[in-house]
């Protein structure tokens, strides 16, 4: 069988023969078998020039064939071939040719398929000129298309292009175009595709006015929506935009509304997204009263959840908020709450979800504490050494580094000697519960 070949010369011959049969056959079953064999052979070719030649001939077939099922198979084969391409000149040539086909296309079905394959090519492309040209073409079609499948395909392709694009004017225009389409889009599936693309634009957009003009309508729509899926998309998108914002008024408004939603939302999946979005907002927020209110809500929700995924997301958000807080009482309360959750944790995943946020909060509390409070906080941190699910002491010892004024690395014995010498803390006192495995001590 051709798929068992290893010699590059034999593979070249087999690939050409299979391609010739593939582009000529009209039988669906034969097309499927040939496409499978052809992909297996081409995946073993090493010569970039040959791969590009195969891609050129296959690309011509993407608009020449009429049978939709055959076209879908050819799309898949073409994607397999271009996925092997690494030569930037070849990738640029493929992207340019596909973009020109997209400009000429008058059929939404073909444009949608071209958008899918263009997305694959540009995901590997580095050429900023072609990326900008592609973004312009995709944006113009996004604005005027009335076909749902084309809109979804072009949105996904535009998102990939935007995530790699440096041109701020094109990104700003793209954000505006996506925003306009979202105002008139009622279909949840299409809205989800548009929001994915909007998040990709936001990840590279730096224009403060464009970011703010996008954030406010997103927040307002979030507060009005009753659709679960749409709410999730809006939360993720607002978080992506807010993470780039500097406008403190919008950030505070967003933080307040996300916090209020978090107190009311019973669903763990949505609560996790709200936690992540709140963390993104908090990373830019300066308002201490809102940060303290957010910390309280996150801590209380964290104290009651048994969901591992939610615990991880809320814990991470709490860590972000805590790193911005100046209120020592909230920091010590947060450290205590997280420590209790760690002591009670009976699953390794749940414990790991709390560890990283606990280290952040505890270190922050230690840095903010007055010297007389250091002993108790250091003892609490070192107590976690005995946790049965803690396999790596490095993060813990790293967070004592600033107070100890020395780097312990992973030398636990040295850290314990320092704690005993500095504060009189003995290893025997580090016992969170009788059930904790302390064999490592």
């Amino acid at each position: 069988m051709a798929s068992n070949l290893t010699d590059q010369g034999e593979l070249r011959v087999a690939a050409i023969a299979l391609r010739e049969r593939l582009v000529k056959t009209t039988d669906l079953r034969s097309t499927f078998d040939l496409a499978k064999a052809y992909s297996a052979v081409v995946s073993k070719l090493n010569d970039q020039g040959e791969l590009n030649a195969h891609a050129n001939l296959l690309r011509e077939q993407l608009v020449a064939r009429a049978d939709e099922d055959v076209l879908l198979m050819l799309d898949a084969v073409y994607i397999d071939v271009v996925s092997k391409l690494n030569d930037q000149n070849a990738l640029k040539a493929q992207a340019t040719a596909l973009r020109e086909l997209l400009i000429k296309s008058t059929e939404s079905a073909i444009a949608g398929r071209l958008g899918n394959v263009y997305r694959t090519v540009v995901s590997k492309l580095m050429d900023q000129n072609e990326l900008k040209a592609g973004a312009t073409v995709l944006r113009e079609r996004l604005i005027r298309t009335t076909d749902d499948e084309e809109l979804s395909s072009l949105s996904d392709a535009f998102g990939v292009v935007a995530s790699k694009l440096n041109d701020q004017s094109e990104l700003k225009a793209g954000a505006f175009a996506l925003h306009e389409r979202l105002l008139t889009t009622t279909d949840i599936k299409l809205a989800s595709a548009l929001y994915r693309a909007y998040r990709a634009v936001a990840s590279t957009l730096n224009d403060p006015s464009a970011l703010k003009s996008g954030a406010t309508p997103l927040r307002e729509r979030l507060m009005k929506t009753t659709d679960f899926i749409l709410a999730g998309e809006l939360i993720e998108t607002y978080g992506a935009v807010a993470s780039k914002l500097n406008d403190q008024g919008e950030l505070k408004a967003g933080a307040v509304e996300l916090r209020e939603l978090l107190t009311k939302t019973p669903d763990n999946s949505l609560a996790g997204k709200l936690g992540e979005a709140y963390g993104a907002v908090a990373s830019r927020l300066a308002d201490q009263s809102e940060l303290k209110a957010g910390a309280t809500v996150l801590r209380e929700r964290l104290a009651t959840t048994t969901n591992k995924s939610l615990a991880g997301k809320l814990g991470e958000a709490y860590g972000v908020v805590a790193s911005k807080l100046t209120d020592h009482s909230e920091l010590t309360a947060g450290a205590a709450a997280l420590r209790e959750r760690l002591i009670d944790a009976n699953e390794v995943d749940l414990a790991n979800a709390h560890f990283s946020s606990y280290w952040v909060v505890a270190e922050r509390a230690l840095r903010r504490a007055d010297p007389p409070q250091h002993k108790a906080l250091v003892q609490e941190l070192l107590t976690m050494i005995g946790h049965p699910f803690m396999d790596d002491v490095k993060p813990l010892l790293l967070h004592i580094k600033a107070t100890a004024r020395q780097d312990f690395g992973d030398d636990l014995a040295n850290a314990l000697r320092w704690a005993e010498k500095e504060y009189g803390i003995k290893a025997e006192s580090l016992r969170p519960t009788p059930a904790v495995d302390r064999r490592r001590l």
Side-chain angles (χ1 to χ4, degrees):
M1 291 179 65
S3 60
N4 293 327
L5 296 174
T6 56
D7 180 79
Q8 287 292 307
E10 293 177 347
L11 285 166
R12 283 194 292 271
V13 173
I16 292 170
L18 286 166
R19 186 191 67 215
E20 291 302 310
R21 291 179 62 192
L22 179 63
V23 298
K24 292 177 181 177
T25 187
T26 56
D27 177 70
L28 189 59
R29 180 65 198 177
S30 296
T31 301
F32 176 81
D33 292 338
L34 287 166
K36 186 177 179 181
Y38 179 67
S39 293
V41 171
V42 170
S43 69
K44 297 180 180 181
L45 288 176
N46 296 326
D47 188 277
Q48 291 287 302
E50 290 177 4
L51 286 166
N52 193 40
H54 282 285
N56 287 335
L57 290 167
L58 285 167
R59 190 184 65 246
E60 293 172 4
Q61 294 295 310
L62 299 184
V63 292
R65 302 289 284 265
D67 189 292
E68 185 67 22
D69 291 325
V70 171
L71 283 169
L72 289 173
M73 290 183 209
L74 289 172
D75 287 348
V77 174
Y78 177 78
I79 288 171
D80 284 345
V81 174
V82 296
S83 295
K84 286 275 290 180
L85 280 176
N86 295 315
D87 182 87
Q88 285 294 310
N89 290 329
L91 286 165
K92 183 180 179 180
Q94 293 300 325
T96 301
L98 287 168
R99 174 170 52 81
E100 290 172 353
L101 288 173
L102 194 55
I103 293 170
K104 296 173 185 176
S105 177
T106 57
E107 295 182 34
S108 291
I110 292 177
R113 289 179 31 256
L114 288 170
N116 288 334
V117 294
Y118 185 75
R119 182 180 73 233
T120 301
V121 175
V122 295
S123 69
K124 304 184 72 176
L125 188 65
M126 297 171 63
D127 187 275
Q128 287 293 313
N129 291 330
E130 176 54 40
L131 288 168
K132 182 179 179 180
T136 302
V137 170
L138 291 166
R139 172 170 52 80
E140 290 173 351
R141 285 202 75 116
L142 270 172
I143 292 169
R144 66 175 188 265
T145 186
T146 57
D147 183 82
D148 290 353
E149 290 189 8
E150 181 185 2
L151 179 61
S152 179
S153 169
L154 296 179
S155 295
D156 286 341
F158 187 82
V160 172
V161 172
S163 69
K164 307 188 74 176
L165 191 61
N166 295 330
D167 188 279
Q168 290 294 308
S169 61
E170 181 55 45
L171 286 166
K172 186 175 179 179
F176 180 78
L178 289 166
H179 176 67
E180 291 299 301
R181 285 313 306 255
L182 280 164
L183 290 176
T184 59
T185 300
T186 55
D187 182 84
I188 301 301
K189 183 179 179 182
L190 289 180
S192 294
L194 289 165
Y195 280 123
R196 285 197 302 273
Y198 199 98
R199 290 195 290 274
V201 172
S203 70
T204 47
L205 182 62
N206 295 321
D207 186 283
S209 62
L211 288 163
K212 185 184 176 183
S213 65
T216 304
L218 285 167
R219 175 171 53 80
E220 291 171 348
R221 193 171 185 185
L222 173 60
M223 297 309 292
K224 294 175 183 177
T225 189
T226 56
D227 184 88
F228 178 84
I229 296 174
L230 186 58
E233 295 289 352
L234 282 161
I235 292 164
E236 287 188 58
T237 308
Y238 184 80
V241 174
S243 69
K244 306 287 290 293
L245 279 178
N246 292 318
D247 187 277
Q248 290 296 309
E250 176 56 42
L251 286 165
K252 184 173 181 179
V256 170
E257 292 179 7
L258 290 169
R259 172 170 54 80
E260 289 177 353
L261 285 173
L262 186 57
T263 62
K264 300 172 185 175
T265 302
D267 181 81
N268 287 332
S269 174
L270 210 57
K273 291 181 179 182
L274 285 164
E276 289 178 317
Y278 191 89
V281 172
S283 70
R284 313 285 290 186
L285 186 64
D287 189 278
Q288 286 292 310
S289 61
E290 175 52 39
L291 287 167
K292 184 176 179 180
T296 302
V297 169
L298 288 165
R299 173 165 50 81
E300 290 174 352
R301 186 75 186 253
L302 198 56
T304 57
T305 187
T306 56
N307 182 278
K308 290 175 280 189
S309 176
L310 178 58
K313 291 174 181 178
L314 293 178
E316 187 172 343
Y318 188 84
V320 172
V321 174
S323 71
K324 303 284 295 286
L325 278 176
T326 57
D327 187 290
H328 184 67
S329 62
E330 176 56 41
L331 287 169
T332 53
L338 287 166
R339 187 174 64 254
E340 288 303 310
R341 292 310 313 271
L342 279 166
I343 291 172
D344 293 339
N346 56 9
E347 292 183 57
V348 64
D349 290 339
L350 191 59
N352 287 336
H354 292 303
F355 269 128
S356 59
S357 52
Y358 175 71
W359 303 145
V360 172
V361 177
E363 180 192 33
R364 185 76 171 177
L366 188 57
R367 284 177 180 270
R368 294 275 177 180
D370 295 326
Q373 298 171 302
H374 284 182
K375 177 181 177 179
L377 289 168
V378 168
Q379 183 159 350
E380 288 173 2
L381 274 165
L382 290 174
T383 296
M384 289 299 105
I385 293 169
H387 198 288
F389 297 135
M390 196 180 86
D391 297 320
D392 185 4
V393 298
K394 274 186 179 180
L396 182 150
L397 298 181
L398 179 64
H399 292 303
I400 299 174
K401 178 180 175 181
T403 300
R405 295 185 176 86
Q406 60 179 295
D407 189 351
F408 297 111
D410 60 356
D411 191 345
L412 176 56
N414 191 23
L416 290 173
R417 283 193 295 272
W418 167 81
E420 183 170 5
K421 180 180 178 181
E422 188 74 18
Y423 300 114
I425 298 171
K426 296 186 179 296
E428 306 87 67
S429 67
L430 306 177
R431 298 179 180 178
T433 65
V436 166
D437 176 5
R438 295 176 58 256
R439 287 172 292 178
R440 288 187 293 275
L441 298 177

